[in-house]
Protein backbone atom coordinates (compact mmCIF):
# COMPACT_ATOMS: atom_id res chain seq x y z
CA UNK A 1 0.00 0.00 0.00
CA UNK A 2 2.91 2.31 0.70
CA UNK A 3 4.27 2.03 -2.85
CA UNK A 4 0.78 2.74 -4.27
CA UNK A 5 0.44 5.82 -2.02
CA UNK A 6 3.87 7.04 -3.15
CA UNK A 7 2.97 6.51 -6.84
CA UNK A 8 -0.30 8.37 -6.31
CA UNK A 9 1.45 11.30 -4.62
CA UNK A 10 4.27 11.54 -7.15
CA UNK A 11 2.60 10.64 -10.45
CA UNK A 12 -1.17 10.71 -9.95
CA UNK A 13 -3.92 8.12 -10.32
CA UNK A 14 -2.93 7.19 -13.87
CA UNK A 15 0.43 5.81 -12.68
CA UNK A 16 -1.19 3.76 -9.92
CA UNK A 17 -3.73 2.20 -12.25
CA UNK A 18 -1.28 1.59 -15.09
CA UNK A 19 1.04 -0.48 -12.87
CA UNK A 20 -1.76 -2.20 -10.95
CA UNK A 21 -2.27 -5.06 -13.38
CA UNK A 22 -1.41 -5.70 -17.05
CA UNK A 23 -5.12 -5.94 -17.86
CA UNK A 24 -6.01 -2.52 -16.37
CA UNK A 25 -5.85 0.72 -18.33
CA UNK A 26 -6.91 4.18 -17.19
CA UNK A 27 -8.72 6.31 -19.77
CA UNK A 28 -10.26 9.07 -17.68
CA UNK A 29 -12.99 8.71 -16.42
CA UNK A 30 -13.10 5.00 -17.38
CA UNK A 31 -11.01 2.12 -16.05
CA UNK A 32 -10.66 -0.30 -18.96
CA UNK A 33 -10.38 -3.98 -18.03
CA UNK A 34 -9.96 -7.14 -20.06
CA UNK A 35 -13.37 -8.12 -18.77
CA UNK A 36 -16.85 -8.04 -20.33
CA UNK A 37 -17.31 -4.54 -18.88
CA UNK A 38 -15.41 -1.34 -18.13
CA UNK A 39 -15.64 0.56 -14.85
CA UNK A 40 -17.14 4.02 -15.11
CA UNK A 41 -16.31 6.00 -11.99
CA UNK A 42 -18.89 8.73 -12.63
CA UNK A 43 -17.90 10.57 -9.44
CA UNK A 44 -17.85 7.44 -7.27
CA UNK A 45 -15.00 6.51 -4.94
CA UNK A 46 -12.48 3.93 -6.20
CA UNK A 47 -11.49 1.35 -3.57
CA UNK A 48 -8.35 -0.67 -4.34
CA UNK A 49 -8.41 -4.05 -2.60
CA UNK A 50 -5.04 -5.85 -2.30
CA UNK A 51 -5.47 -9.63 -2.46
CA UNK A 52 -2.97 -12.00 -0.87
CA UNK A 53 -4.40 -15.44 -1.60
CA UNK A 54 -5.86 -14.78 -5.04
CA UNK A 55 -2.97 -15.91 -7.26
CA UNK A 56 -3.03 -13.06 -9.78
CA UNK A 57 -6.80 -12.67 -9.99
CA UNK A 58 -8.23 -9.32 -11.03
CA UNK A 59 -11.78 -8.61 -10.01
CA UNK A 60 -13.98 -5.58 -10.09
CA UNK A 61 -17.35 -4.76 -8.59
CA UNK A 62 -19.18 -1.73 -9.85
CA UNK A 63 -22.36 -2.44 -7.87
CA UNK A 64 -21.04 -1.57 -4.40
CA UNK A 65 -23.21 1.29 -3.15
CA UNK A 66 -21.47 4.56 -3.91
CA UNK A 67 -18.05 3.05 -4.65
CA UNK A 68 -16.19 1.02 -7.27
CA UNK A 69 -14.10 -1.87 -5.90
CA UNK A 70 -11.05 -3.17 -7.77
CA UNK A 71 -9.17 -6.18 -6.38
CA UNK A 72 -5.63 -6.99 -7.49
CA UNK A 73 -2.71 -9.24 -6.48
CA UNK A 74 -0.87 -7.47 -3.65
CA UNK A 75 2.75 -6.64 -4.33
CA UNK A 76 5.36 -8.72 -2.51
CA UNK A 77 3.11 -11.70 -1.91
CA UNK A 78 3.98 -15.01 -3.44
CA UNK A 79 1.29 -17.41 -4.46
CA UNK A 80 0.56 -19.10 -1.14
CA UNK A 81 -1.36 -22.04 -2.51
CA UNK A 82 0.17 -25.39 -3.42
CA UNK A 83 3.19 -25.13 -5.71
CA UNK A 84 2.63 -25.50 -9.42
CA UNK A 85 2.75 -29.09 -10.63
CA UNK A 86 5.89 -30.25 -12.37
CA UNK A 87 5.74 -30.54 -16.13
CA UNK A 88 4.99 -34.03 -17.39
CA UNK A 89 7.99 -33.91 -19.70
CA UNK A 90 11.28 -33.15 -17.90
CA UNK A 91 13.29 -32.47 -21.10
CA UNK A 92 12.89 -28.69 -20.91
CA UNK A 93 14.06 -28.76 -17.27
CA UNK A 94 17.05 -30.89 -18.24
CA UNK A 95 17.98 -28.56 -21.08
CA UNK A 96 17.55 -25.21 -19.33
CA UNK A 97 17.58 -26.07 -15.63
CA UNK A 98 14.38 -26.26 -13.63
CA UNK A 99 14.32 -22.58 -12.57
CA UNK A 100 14.88 -21.19 -16.06
CA UNK A 101 12.40 -23.70 -17.55
CA UNK A 102 9.80 -22.66 -14.96
CA UNK A 103 10.28 -18.98 -15.90
CA UNK A 104 10.03 -19.84 -19.61
CA UNK A 105 6.79 -21.78 -19.08
CA UNK A 106 5.35 -18.96 -16.97
CA UNK A 107 5.83 -16.55 -19.88
CA UNK A 108 2.91 -18.10 -21.75
CA UNK A 109 1.23 -15.04 -20.19
CA UNK A 110 3.42 -11.91 -20.58
CA UNK A 111 4.51 -10.42 -17.27
CA UNK A 112 6.99 -8.08 -15.62
CA UNK A 113 9.95 -9.31 -13.59
CA UNK A 114 8.19 -8.39 -10.35
CA UNK A 115 4.96 -10.16 -11.33
CA UNK A 116 6.85 -13.31 -12.33
CA UNK A 117 8.83 -13.29 -9.09
CA UNK A 118 5.62 -13.05 -7.06
CA UNK A 119 3.85 -15.70 -9.12
CA UNK A 120 6.73 -18.19 -8.95
CA UNK A 121 7.94 -17.39 -5.40
CA UNK A 122 11.39 -16.53 -6.76
CA UNK A 123 13.55 -13.56 -5.84
CA UNK A 124 13.24 -10.75 -8.42
CA UNK A 125 17.01 -10.89 -9.01
CA UNK A 126 16.75 -14.61 -9.86
CA UNK A 127 13.91 -14.01 -12.30
CA UNK A 128 15.82 -11.10 -13.84
CA UNK A 129 18.90 -13.29 -14.38
CA UNK A 130 16.79 -16.02 -16.02
CA UNK A 131 15.01 -13.48 -18.23
CA UNK A 132 18.34 -12.04 -19.37
CA UNK A 133 19.60 -15.48 -20.46
CA UNK A 134 16.29 -16.39 -22.13
CA UNK A 135 16.29 -13.07 -24.04
CA UNK A 136 19.90 -13.53 -25.16
CA UNK A 137 18.98 -17.07 -26.31
CA UNK A 138 16.22 -15.58 -28.48
CA UNK A 139 13.34 -17.33 -26.69
CA UNK A 140 11.49 -14.29 -25.31
CA UNK A 141 10.73 -10.73 -26.33
CA UNK A 142 10.63 -7.59 -24.18
CA UNK A 143 8.33 -4.63 -24.62
CA UNK A 144 7.99 -1.49 -22.56
CA UNK A 145 4.68 -0.07 -21.36
CA UNK A 146 5.44 3.26 -19.66
CA UNK A 147 7.79 2.37 -16.79
CA UNK A 148 7.20 -1.39 -16.92
CA UNK A 149 8.99 -3.94 -19.10
CA UNK A 150 6.89 -6.96 -20.05
CA UNK A 151 8.41 -10.25 -21.14
CA UNK A 152 6.65 -12.91 -23.20
CA UNK A 153 7.39 -15.92 -25.34
CA UNK A 154 8.22 -15.29 -28.97
CA UNK A 155 7.61 -17.91 -31.68
CA UNK A 156 10.88 -19.69 -30.92
CA UNK A 157 10.11 -19.86 -27.20
CA UNK A 158 6.56 -21.08 -27.83
CA UNK A 159 7.88 -23.76 -30.17
CA UNK A 160 10.45 -24.93 -27.62
CA UNK A 161 7.86 -25.14 -24.84
CA UNK A 162 5.44 -26.97 -27.15
CA UNK A 163 8.13 -29.40 -28.28
CA UNK A 164 9.75 -30.17 -24.93
CA UNK A 165 6.99 -29.80 -22.40
CA UNK A 166 3.64 -28.18 -21.95
CA UNK A 167 3.23 -25.25 -19.56
CA UNK A 168 1.73 -26.15 -16.18
CA UNK A 169 -1.89 -24.98 -16.12
CA UNK A 170 -1.68 -23.61 -12.52
CA UNK A 171 0.40 -20.67 -13.76
CA UNK A 172 -2.23 -19.18 -16.03
CA UNK A 173 -4.43 -16.58 -14.43
Amino acid sequence: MLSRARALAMSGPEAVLEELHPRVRWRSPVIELDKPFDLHLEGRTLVLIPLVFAGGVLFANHKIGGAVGLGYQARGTAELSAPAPEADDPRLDLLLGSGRATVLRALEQPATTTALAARLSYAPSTVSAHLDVLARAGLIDRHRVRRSVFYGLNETGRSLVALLGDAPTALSA
Side-chain angles (χ1 to χ4, degrees):
M1 288 190 290
L2 185 59
S3 68
R4 303 256 182 251
R6 183 176 42 240
L8 180 63
M10 300 199 50
S11 304
E14 296 85 9
V16 173
L17 292 169
E18 290 290 336
E19 70 179 21
L20 192 63
H21 194 281
R23 297 184 327 206
V24 174
R25 286 172 303 286
W26 170 250
R27 306 287 184 259
S28 182
V30 176
I31 300 172
E32 295 177 353
L33 308 171
D34 285 343
K35 298 276 187 184
F37 59 89
D38 290 332
L39 294 177
H40 297 268
L41 294 180
E42 299 168 344
R44 292 181 288 174
T45 302
L46 175 63
V47 180
L48 298 178
I49 307 163
L51 305 171
V52 175
F53 298 102
V57 152
L58 174 70
F59 81 86
N61 186 344
H62 58 317
K63 297 180 180 167
I64 299 172
V68 173
L70 184 61
Y72 64 93
Q73 180 70 37
R75 215 181 236 182
T77 59
E79 190 170 326
L80 298 175
S81 60
E86 292 295 318
D88 293 334
D89 192 338
R91 295 180 298 166
L92 191 60
D93 290 20
L94 292 171
L95 181 65
L96 299 176
S98 65
R100 194 162 293 137
T102 299
V103 170
L104 186 66
R105 286 185 188 102
L107 289 172
E108 285 284 331
Q109 177 184 13
T112 63
T113 303
T114 305
L116 278 173
R119 188 184 325 159
L120 300 174
S121 300
Y122 287 178
S125 59
T126 301
V127 172
S128 180
H130 288 320
L131 290 171
D132 181 58
V133 171
L134 293 169
R136 287 188 288 131
L139 300 175
I140 63 173
D141 290 328
R142 311 171 206 219
H143 69 277
R144 180 173 290 281
V145 177
R146 294 190 182 220
R147 291 179 282 162
S148 299
V149 177
F150 285 83
Y151 297 85
L153 293 178
N154 59 24
E155 287 304 314
T156 306
R158 270 190 285 284
S159 297
L160 185 64
V161 170
L163 180 67
L164 296 181
D166 292 330
T169 56
L171 292 178
S172 57

